[in-house]
Amino acid sequence: MKAEAGEIRAEGWTCASCGSPLELLPADIAYMGSSFQVELPRCRKCGFTLIPQDLAEGKMLEVEKLLEDK
Amino acid sequence: MEQKYLRDFEARCTQEEPPACRSMCPLHVEAREFACLMAVERLDEARKILERSMPLAGLAAFLCPGHCREHCRRSEVDAGVNLPMLERACLLYTRSTKPMPMPASGKTAAVAGGGFSSLCLAYELGKKGFRVNLYHQQDIAAAFAALPPRTFPERSLGEALEQLAALRVSFEQVKDFSPDRIASLRGEKILYLGLDDPDLDPAAFGLAGPGDPLTLESPVPGLFAGGAGLSFIQAAAAGKRAAGSIVRFLQGVAPSSAREGEDIYPTKLITDLSAVAPLPPPDPADPLVPTREEAKAEAARCIPCDCLLCVKKCAYLSHYESYPKRYGREFYNTLALKFGNRRSNIQIISCALCGLCGVVCPNGADMGSFCLEARREMAQSRHMPVSAHEFALEDMAYSNSAEVAFYRPQPGRKRCRTAFFPGCRLPSSLPEQTGRLYTFLTEHLDGGVGLFYRCCGAPARWSGRERLTAANAAGLREIWEEAGGPELILACPSCALFFASELADIPVKSLWEILPGLPLPKQARPLKQSLALHDPCAARARPDLIRAVRDLAGALGQETEELPLGRDLTRCCGYGGLASAVNPELGAEIALSRARDTDKDLLCWCIMCRDSLSAVGKGALHFLDLLFPAGDEARVRPAPGISLRQERALAFRREMLQNIWNEKPDEEGDLDPINIEMDAEVAERLERRRILLSDLKRVLLYAGEKGGQFYNPQTGRTLSSLRPKQVTFWVEYSPRADGVFVVHNAYCHRMLVPGTPGEGLPTAAVLEGFDPRGGRA
Ligand code: SF4
Ligand code: SF4
Ligand code: SF4
Ligand SMILES: [Zn+2]
């Protein structure tokens, strides 16, 4: 799954635990035995990863379906 | 899937059979495609179609007497399509194209005789790279000149001879076929005797007569003969077949091998003529020179022949724009795939399994059975897309959980002769009326009536999961045995199908065969308006029930009318087979196409039908709305969403146990203290995404304890996620001072992302190659 930094919109959100702003950091995401590394808005300290709605229902859903039909 | 299973299915669907005009044409010209192109004035393309199967088309088509005409299916309505006229027109208004020979192959053939079969044979072999030497005694043009005037335009013969020359055919006019000449010809490796040339005598070549009528082989190897006593087009076909025999002979293959369909034959293609209106043929001023307009009008008379009987009646079949034979093949190919994209997966699991196609098809091709078989194999080989049925199966598990499902004998009895089995959906859609129906049954049936509430397990069967289906059936049987084996009264026709296939030894009756024998409930009242009776697809093969509900409507005094596709031909509401669960858009399409069958409101006797049709905006009632009216305007009562259904299922249990069995209400669940508020638009969005209130509550309960994950200082909102199962839910909310969570949005995904709390699956396990497909039945 490719996600260009510009597509992911997580403006305004901060880490609720430590208050840090989110940064685009590599994250390993996985489904159906396949895994990918993509840049996602994350808290560097706490490790939380934010998945915005348009990513969840757009690209991510697309890839999920693809992997399910493999 | 066994290949035989596919073959048997394919053999039933006739859609790929040629139309009669083609199967009965000696050259098997694709007349339907040709006529369709002529009807839209695409003459150049039409000519290409002709040239594809007709040797020397620029001449041959003028010589055709129209063998197909009497077989054209339109002749059963008025008069067969005049294909010779269309072919003339096509040739008159287009130009001939140069045939493209294959590179010279070094093979040669000798041809004796200048008849049309010889010319066509030379044409066919020339295209295949042969060098053909043709010997004739008469001048070829002179022989054609003996035909009635204007049979073909002057240029045609010249063009035909030019084409042959371009195909490296050489002509040699001989004085006669002397014994010397014959001896030298007989020395050729390949010789064809065109007996449609009167100068040729087979006896002089040592033959008793023509060769085999299909292959034109003579008893002498390499010697082929025929073509006499035929129409020009039959002679052309003979020449073409002889060319095929020669190619086989030189390849060392028996000329008779793989010749199926080369002779004329009656087609198996089914074509329904009931909607074909008469259309008088045009009357050309000069039949030998039809105008373009006359040709267009004649071409428009082609039906065109096609089966698609099932496709025209099923929104699923028409949605994918093809027909069962093709689908069967595609499904088979997907099932056979070892790697790569399984293209037909979603299509296989989107069929409603309603069985209409099998009834409509004169050969009984049932796409539904085929899809179910394919699903079983997908599940078995772990190729079922995991998310497709998950939601429906979780819903089923919920209905069968200890929180919801129950059996109770009628109060005051240990064992009951019968037990009412309303199915999972009736109580969760019409809880109060289902309760009244139960009481009514206990008042009118002897021997005690228990209440048995759970899902029969049909969703597991529809999803192709055989183990899960069997496990569910076993769970049901256990409770039934503990209850002393009462006869079950089934309200839902889909339950009835399920019992028949999975629990055939449990005695069952349909509610609908019992009700007409009982007095009407006191409150029962008909509507003033007439209603269209919608039969559920699960009852297609139950004429007894179909009759019984009509009796019941009659007893109620409810005026009803029949739908054009009703009874055994009824159409599905889109719920069947989990079609709408897997493919909501298509499910709605199926429901809409049913809804459009009438302007009237529908009277249903399956609650899923009622709710699915109502969900696409159709006025629809269930019989219980007439038998036990609730005082609302039932025809427009919104179909309950998923969360509401689950809530009502719980409430049904609570109320029934409390009111009828005097049991204390169940303990509150941990999620009950969470209070949520959201506006209708958000609620609707969640419904579409199949996010349950309980899913939201789980996220909020967790976030409440552990703190949310993300905070937006500008809006004051929190965003939190949790992965309670194989889905991660996100909720955007603001906690209010009074403890209520105001939910602004929620969404979900299935991919695993680091940092997501929940019991779903730890990231490490997934990265180590855990296959979630193995995790479920
Ligand atoms: S009804 Fe459908 S399955 Fe049957 S022959 Fe026609 S197209 Fe094929
Ligand atoms: S109606 Fe058309 S397709 Fe059917 S047999 Fe006649 S010409 Fe052929
Ligand atoms: S939805 Fe019904 S009619 Fe359509 S293909 Fe499936 S079983 Fe046949
Ligand atoms: Zn942090």
Side-chain angles (χ1 to χ4, degrees):
Chain A
M1 182 167 76
K2 262 190 77 171
E4 281 112 48
E7 287 173 16
I8 298 172
R9 307 164 61 85
E11 288 118 36
W13 293 107
T14 60
C15 176
S17 244
C18 68
S20 312
L22 304 184
E23 300 169 54
L24 276 182
L25 295 172
D28 290 320
I29 63 170
Y31 193 53
M32 306 292 313
S34 300
S35 63
F36 319 83
Q37 199 174 70
V38 280
E39 302 230 307
L40 291 169
R42 306 187 67 180
C43 172
R44 190 179 283 280
K45 255 206 274 171
C46 309
F48 293 133
T49 312
L50 190 151
I51 304 295
Q53 180 187 324
D54 39 1
L55 178 61
E57 294 183 345
K59 261 264 149 60
M60 208 170 212
L61 182 65
E62 234 172 75
V63 177
E64 286 168 5
K65 296 263 175 252
L66 259 167
L67 291 174
E68 288 196 2
D69 281 339
K70 271 270 148 61
Chain B
M1 181 178 281
E2 298 279 329
Q3 199 177 39
K4 183 168 180 312
Y5 188 85
L6 171 70
R7 295 283 172 253
D8 286 350
F9 182 75
E10 281 187 312
R12 285 171 192 269
C13 177
T14 70
Q15 173 61 18
E16 286 178 0
E17 296 294 319
C21 50
R22 181 173 183 195
S23 74
M24 297 305 286
C25 165
L27 288 167
H28 302 304
V29 165
E30 292 158 272
R32 173 181 61 192
E33 290 69 20
F34 170 76
C36 289
L37 287 166
M38 290 298 288
V40 293
E41 296 176 274
R42 284 157 64 176
L43 270 60
D44 289 324
E45 288 157 82
R47 180 163 188 148
K48 289 217 175 75
I49 298 262
L50 275 188
E51 288 173 345
R52 209 143 73 192
S53 33
M54 193 181 264
L56 297 172
L59 183 59
F62 288 110
L63 306 175
C64 180
H67 295 286
C68 58
R69 257 188 105 176
E70 59 171 313
H71 304 285
C72 168
R73 296 298 309 276
R74 184 170 268 290
S75 63
E76 294 163 51
V77 178
D78 41 21
V81 173
N82 188 344
L83 277 154
M85 184 262 239
L86 295 181
E87 291 171 12
R88 286 187 88 85
C90 176
L91 292 171
L92 286 172
Y93 303 117
T94 55
R95 305 187 71 93
S96 80
T97 48
K98 278 240 157 59
M100 290 283 278
M102 285 182 0
S105 65
K107 293 177 186 144
T108 57
V111 176
F116 203 51
S117 77
S118 301
L119 298 186
C120 291
L121 170 115
Y123 177 86
E124 292 294 325
L125 289 181
K127 275 205 308 188
K128 295 196 161 72
F130 278 67
R131 161 121 227 146
V132 181
N133 300 310
L134 189 148
Y135 304 87
H136 57 105
Q137 195 177 328
Q138 301 284 323
D139 180 51
I140 291 179
F144 280 95
L147 294 170
R150 301 171 71 221
T151 300
F152 55 88
E154 234 164 85
R155 61 176 160 100
S156 295
L157 182 62
E159 279 174 8
L161 294 176
E162 272 167 35
Q163 286 193 340
L164 287 168
L167 291 174
R168 295 171 291 233
V169 178
S170 68
F171 292 87
E172 189 175 326
Q173 190 166 12
V174 296
K175 204 155 93 303
D176 55 16
F177 285 101
S178 62
D180 277 357
R181 169 73 61 193
I182 290 175
S184 97
L185 284 173
R186 287 216 47 184
E188 299 272 352
K189 188 167 179 202
I190 297 293
L191 174 61
Y192 172 70
L193 303 185
L195 301 179
D196 44 344
D197 181 334
D199 295 332
L200 282 174
D201 173 13
F205 285 80
L207 294 181
D212 178 85
L214 180 66
T215 64
L216 289 90
E217 275 181 284
S218 80
V220 183
L223 180 54
F224 300 82
L230 303 173
S231 77
F232 278 107
I233 280 298
Q234 289 165 334
K240 200 176 160 180
R241 289 202 306 272
S245 300
I246 289 169
V247 169
R248 285 176 175 74
F249 176 79
L250 289 176
Q251 284 169 346
V253 180
S256 58
S257 71
R259 305 303 293 246
E260 294 79 26
E262 283 196 39
D263 205 351
I264 56 168
Y265 58 95
T267 182
K268 294 201 193 89
L269 177 68
I270 295 160
T271 303
D272 173 23
L273 299 177
S274 60
V276 178
L279 197 60
D283 186 10
D286 179 351
L288 290 182
V289 189
T291 64
R292 284 166 184 268
E293 289 66 37
E294 286 156 354
K296 184 179 174 187
E298 181 61 22
R301 298 181 63 248
C302 172
I303 294 170
C305 290
D306 230 343
C307 179
L308 301 181
L309 280 175
C310 56
V311 178
K312 287 173 194 154
K313 293 191 166 61
C314 166
Y316 163 79
L317 289 172
S318 57
H319 177 87
Y320 291 96
E321 297 179 336
S322 196
Y323 47 85
K325 185 167 189 173
R326 176 95 152 263
Y327 296 149
R329 221 158 35 221
E330 289 172 358
F331 295 1
Y332 179 86
N333 289 340
T334 281
L335 293 178
L337 269 188
K338 294 270 180 289
F339 302 100
N341 185 21
R342 304 175 70 86
R343 272 188 39 222
S344 302
N345 269 1
I346 296 297
Q347 189 180 344
I348 294 171
I349 55 179
S350 295
C351 162
L353 310 183
C354 77
L356 175 58
C357 48
V359 179
V360 166
C361 174
N363 297 328
D366 182 355
M367 194 81 247
S369 312
F370 194 95
C371 286
L372 185 57
E373 188 57 32
R375 290 178 197 187
R376 289 183 172 147
E377 184 161 325
M378 283 163 73
Q380 179 92 47
S381 63
R382 297 186 164 188
H383 280 111
M384 188 61 86
V386 264
S387 65
H389 296 121
E390 191 174 62
F391 191 82
L393 296 180
E394 274 170 7
D395 197 36
M396 180 181 92
Y398 177 79
S399 299
N400 289 342
S401 67
E403 277 174 282
V404 177
F406 67 93
Y407 172 79
R408 292 289 183 280
Q410 185 173 331
R413 295 183 183 258
K414 274 220 174 60
R415 288 175 64 149
C416 297
R417 188 184 299 162
T418 56
F420 179 41
F421 191 93
C424 56
R425 296 302 179 109
L426 194 59
S428 66
S429 190
L430 297 174
E432 194 251 350
Q433 283 144 301
T434 311
R436 281 158 70 191
L437 169 60
Y438 172 65
T439 308
F440 175 80
L441 291 175
T442 58
E443 288 163 1
H444 290 92
L445 296 178
D446 296 332
V449 185
L451 180 58
F452 191 2
Y453 181 32
R454 65 181 275 132
C455 169
C456 66
R461 180 169 182 268
W462 288 335
S463 79
R465 287 157 172 88
E466 292 175 282
R467 262 181 304 146
L468 186 65
T469 308
N472 256 281
L476 192 154
R477 178 192 302 280
E478 203 175 300
I479 302 169
W480 171 75
E481 277 168 359
E482 258 171 52
E487 178 176 51
L488 300 183
I489 299 173
L490 310 178
C492 168
S494 288
C495 292
L497 268 191
F498 183 84
F499 275 84
S501 85
E502 309 295 326
L503 293 160
D505 57 317
I506 294 190
V508 296
K509 267 219 170 80
S510 171
L511 173 69
W512 308 102
E513 55 190 315
I514 290 180
L515 283 180
L518 304 182
L520 281 177
K522 278 189 223 56
Q523 321 86 319
R525 59 169 170 74
L527 293 195
K528 285 199 190 71
Q529 65 187 102
S530 164
L531 300 170
L533 255 172
H534 166 79
D535 299 304
C537 60
R540 187 184 305 293
R542 295 291 304 267
D544 55 330
L545 303 186
I546 288 171
R547 210 171 319 113
V549 293
R550 283 155 178 79
D551 291 347
L552 187 61
L556 257 162
Q558 175 62 50
E559 194 190 315
T560 58
E561 55 192 67
E562 294 294 332
L563 284 162
L565 289 170
R567 300 173 183 260
D568 60 328
L569 291 176
T570 190
R571 302 172 84 192
C572 183
C573 67
Y575 175 74
L578 297 178
S580 54
V582 168
N583 196 334
E585 296 80 22
L586 181 55
E589 228 177 274
I590 296 175
L592 269 176
S593 78
R594 178 43 152 185
R596 292 194 185 115
D597 280 346
T598 175
D599 296 336
K600 294 263 150 65
D601 288 346
L602 299 173
L603 177 56
C604 306
W605 42 295
C606 165
I607 191 64
M608 283 323 302
C609 292
R610 190 272 155 199
D611 284 347
S612 306
L613 291 159
S614 157
V616 295
K618 185 73 180 169
L621 297 103
H622 188 271
F623 258 93
L624 290 197
D625 290 314
L626 305 179
L627 293 169
F628 302 99
D632 57 349
E633 208 196 332
R635 55 176 291 277
V636 293
R637 178 186 62 241
I642 304 153
S643 287
L644 185 56
R645 259 199 295 106
Q646 294 200 350
E647 255 171 51
R648 282 186 185 166
L650 267 187
F652 174 73
R653 173 193 160 105
R654 199 166 45 231
E655 310 261 308
M656 294 302 281
L657 293 186
Q658 227 170 315
N659 299 342
I660 299 190
W661 283 274
N662 282 319
E663 291 180 23
K664 274 213 312 280
D666 299 323
E667 304 249 314
E668 279 204 338
D670 344 326
L671 294 177
D672 290 347
I674 304 273
N675 286 313
I676 286 182
E677 231 177 70
M678 59 185 150
D679 58 35
E681 196 261 323
V682 175
E684 200 185 296
R685 220 181 305 154
L686 300 195
E687 178 70 31
R688 258 201 326 272
R689 293 174 187 157
R690 295 179 180 153
I691 299 174
L692 301 176
L693 276 181
S694 56
D695 296 328
L696 293 189
K697 288 182 176 179
R698 257 183 215 115
V699 180
L700 295 169
L701 184 72
Y702 185 90
E705 284 166 7
K706 301 276 159 77
Q709 286 162 342
F710 302 101
Y711 179 69
N712 190 327
Q714 289 136 42
T715 59
R717 293 179 180 182
T718 304
L719 180 63
S720 262
S721 70
L722 184 74
R723 190 174 177 85
K725 43 190 178 186
Q726 286 181 54
V727 179
T728 299
F729 296 98
W730 289 85
V731 186
E732 185 178 340
Y733 61 96
S734 324
R736 224 168 43 197
D738 60 2
V740 170
F741 292 95
V742 180
V743 171
H744 309 290
N745 192 17
Y747 51 92
C748 57
H749 60 76
R750 306 178 62 87
M751 283 222 166
L752 213 89
V753 170
T756 312
E759 300 132 30
L761 291 167
T763 313
V766 173
L767 292 180
E768 276 159 25
F770 176 85
D771 176 6
R773 273 171 180 147
R776 299 192 162 250

